[in-house]
Amino acid sequence: MITALLKRDLAKFFPFAGGGASLPVMFFIAVAMLYPFAVGPDVNILSRTGGGVVWIAALLAAILPLEKLVAQDIELGFFDQLRLRGLTEEVMMAVRLVAHWLSFGPPLILATFPAAALLSIDGPTLHLLLLGLLAGTPGLAAIGLMIAALTASLRAGAALSGLLLVPLALPILIFGAGALARQDGASLGFVAAISLGLVAMAPFAAGAAIKASREV
Amino acid sequence: MQAQQPSSTARSLAASSLACRRGDRLLFRKLSFTVKAGEALHITGANGTGKTTLMRTLAGLTTPYAGEVQREGELGLLDERPALDLDQPLGKALGFWARIDACADPSGAFSALGLRGLLEVPVRYLSTGQRKRAGLAALLSRNVPIWLLDEPLSGLDVAAIETVTRLIELHVQEGGIALIASHQRLDIEGLQTLELGDFAPAAQEEEAF
């Protein structure tokens, strides 16, 4: 049952797989492309600030899929029908978290290579950037899922969810981008720890939000 | 020693002094009934009397304000949201539920509801009646004893109404349970009726609440 659900969720969200959205990845690369135009082609400035720009682009790209992440399936009665088949909301949300991360984390990490080339990011920095994104994107996915579930039954949910993600994602950004400035991977441990905490919490928080959305 | 029959008498759905509200409005109270295997109950009532809320409460999706629901046997709900992915062709969308329900061959349910010619059509392009039939096909291939049907006939044409009515009748005759919330007249043998409006709180009662 869970495999079938994960497959369906992936088909819905994975970029280039049918109806999935490749928009976050495009957006991510577009930011990396625009930045040199905005600050000029000075290699020093680009390579010094490029890593931070990639982090900001990743954070903003994480906002894009939130609108469809939960709200549509509540409207379709999807979670209701799964509940009637004995699946708990927590399991549904854990599956959704895996599908959401798989459809935006790894593609973003892959897109970091062309982005790094556009921003003249050097080898060691790229290394820290990739490790940081690998540790940080699950946390971003978890925050996104919780927000999407909480705001699903609100009319202006989509705009609100983007606004809510920014402050909550700050710790990941601070430690993730901080590692680049000091060229020191130690703070990535914090990023991983924050992500782990968020990933553990998200299915329960989002599940509770789905249940609460039924009681009107 | 007698062999244990898969006893159909163990199936039942009962409500005891059930009260539900929507927002801060009490919809109905002191509602009690028992539906046993082989019985069908038609729940009627004007708009806003709480038919859908009752269905969702019986299904366990929302908690009642007071009273409780007792249920023996698995339950399926058909409402106005058939939970089919809009972008998928109908066959794939229904195929997902067949996999979830471990139903090896849902094609019988597809042809029973006349969906054969629609399997390639994306759900987005289906009409209300066609979606309703698709939802019923998903319920049919689940093979559960208790059916909760919220307006199962809305949007259906004359032929489909006849088909669906016969399917409900067959389900009940085979020892199933059906609760049908509908405005339409239902032509089912042995159908009992429950008027939900009779359980609406009196005006002064609502004020006290």
Side-chain angles (χ1 to χ4, degrees):
Chain A
M1 196 191 246
I2 291 187
T3 337
L5 183 59
L6 184 62
K7 261 191 186 161
R8 179 262 175 194
D9 279 2
L10 273 177
K12 194 175 162 87
F13 297 111
F14 202 74
F16 312 114
S22 54
L23 215 57
V25 179
M26 300 295 193
F27 177 82
F28 180 78
I29 293 180
V31 171
M33 249 168 70
L34 285 174
Y35 187 66
F37 287 113
V39 300
D42 185 334
V43 175
N44 276 329
I45 294 183
L46 282 182
S47 60
R48 201 155 42 84
T49 56
V53 171
V54 170
W55 265 104
I56 291 177
L59 203 147
L60 295 179
I63 294 174
L64 293 178
L66 296 191
E67 188 183 353
K68 282 187 171 176
L69 194 57
V70 176
Q72 205 174 38
D73 281 344
I74 289 187
E75 239 166 76
L76 287 176
F78 200 81
F79 297 127
D80 289 350
Q81 288 296 333
L82 287 172
R83 182 77 193 85
L84 294 177
R85 285 153 171 92
L87 215 61
T88 62
E89 286 77 7
E90 288 77 17
V91 175
M92 295 174 213
M93 287 297 107
V95 172
R96 183 61 45 104
L97 178 60
V98 173
H100 174 42
W101 181 76
L102 280 175
S103 52
F104 106 93
L108 225 56
I109 290 168
L110 281 178
T112 303
F113 289 99
L118 288 163
L119 297 167
S120 339
I121 292 171
D122 57 21
T125 311
L126 177 62
H127 183 73
L128 285 175
L129 193 54
L130 290 172
L131 277 179
L133 285 177
L134 188 64
T137 44
L140 291 180
I143 298 173
L145 180 71
M146 285 189 273
I147 292 175
L150 275 170
T151 57
S153 44
L154 304 178
R155 278 289 148 249
L160 188 63
S161 56
L163 218 55
L164 282 172
L165 184 124
V166 172
L168 290 172
L170 262 186
I172 293 178
L173 181 71
I174 290 172
F175 288 116
L180 304 175
R182 280 177 281 109
Q183 291 288 318
D184 168 21
S187 69
L188 294 183
F190 280 113
V191 178
I194 296 168
S195 272
L196 198 66
L198 288 167
V199 166
M201 195 169 88
F204 297 98
I210 301 285
K211 277 184 241 173
S213 75
R214 294 199 184 111
E215 312 273 351
V216 264
Chain B
M1 210 174 97
Q2 255 185 332
Q4 190 88 33
Q5 288 284 321
S7 105
S8 59
T9 48
R11 297 158 178 177
S12 70
L13 185 66
S16 51
S17 46
L18 202 63
C20 287
R21 57 178 190 173
R22 188 171 170 80
D24 51 7
R25 200 166 71 87
L26 190 62
L27 293 168
F28 53 83
R29 82 280 180 264
K30 296 176 191 162
L31 175 65
S32 300
F33 62 81
T34 306
V35 193
K36 294 199 188 69
E39 291 179 347
L41 182 65
H42 184 188
I43 296 158
T44 59
N47 295 129
T49 42
K51 296 191 293 295
T52 298
T53 306
L54 173 62
M55 284 302 193
R56 292 178 64 78
T57 306
L58 291 174
L61 291 172
T62 53
T63 41
Y65 177 61
E68 57 181 28
V69 177
Q70 281 128 3
R71 172 162 68 89
E72 299 277 343
E74 266 198 284
L75 166 152
L77 170 74
L78 172 76
D79 57 10
E80 81 285 12
R81 302 173 306 166
L84 300 167
D85 280 322
L86 296 176
D87 299 323
Q88 300 274 356
L90 181 63
K92 265 189 146 179
L94 282 171
F96 164 72
W97 288 113
R99 271 197 304 285
I100 289 280
D101 297 327
C103 172
D105 184 24
S107 59
F110 295 170
S111 33
L113 286 146
L115 296 170
R116 283 233 165 268
L118 297 171
L119 295 180
E120 301 299 321
V121 182
V123 175
R124 186 179 297 285
Y125 299 122
L126 296 180
S127 73
T128 316
Q130 288 167 331
R131 285 184 206 194
K132 186 74 78 180
R133 270 150 56 198
L136 202 65
L139 177 64
L140 204 60
S141 47
R142 252 190 94 189
N143 199 19
V144 289
I146 306 173
W147 284 7
L148 298 180
L149 310 170
D150 191 3
E151 296 292 349
L153 304 182
S154 73
L156 296 186
D157 57 34
V158 180
I161 287 178
E162 178 62 23
T163 313
V164 171
T165 312
R166 291 289 82 79
L167 278 171
I168 299 171
E169 206 168 43
L170 191 69
H171 175 71
V172 173
Q173 278 165 4
E174 284 172 349
I177 292 174
L179 274 81
I180 309 127
S182 177
H183 294 293
Q184 266 131 311
R185 211 176 55 82
L186 285 161
D187 182 23
I188 294 171
E189 218 186 288
L191 186 70
Q192 303 165 54
T193 305
L194 185 143
E195 167 59 46
L196 204 52
D198 296 346
F199 297 89
Q204 68 270 32
E205 211 179 326
E206 197 168 7
E207 239 161 64
F209 159 79

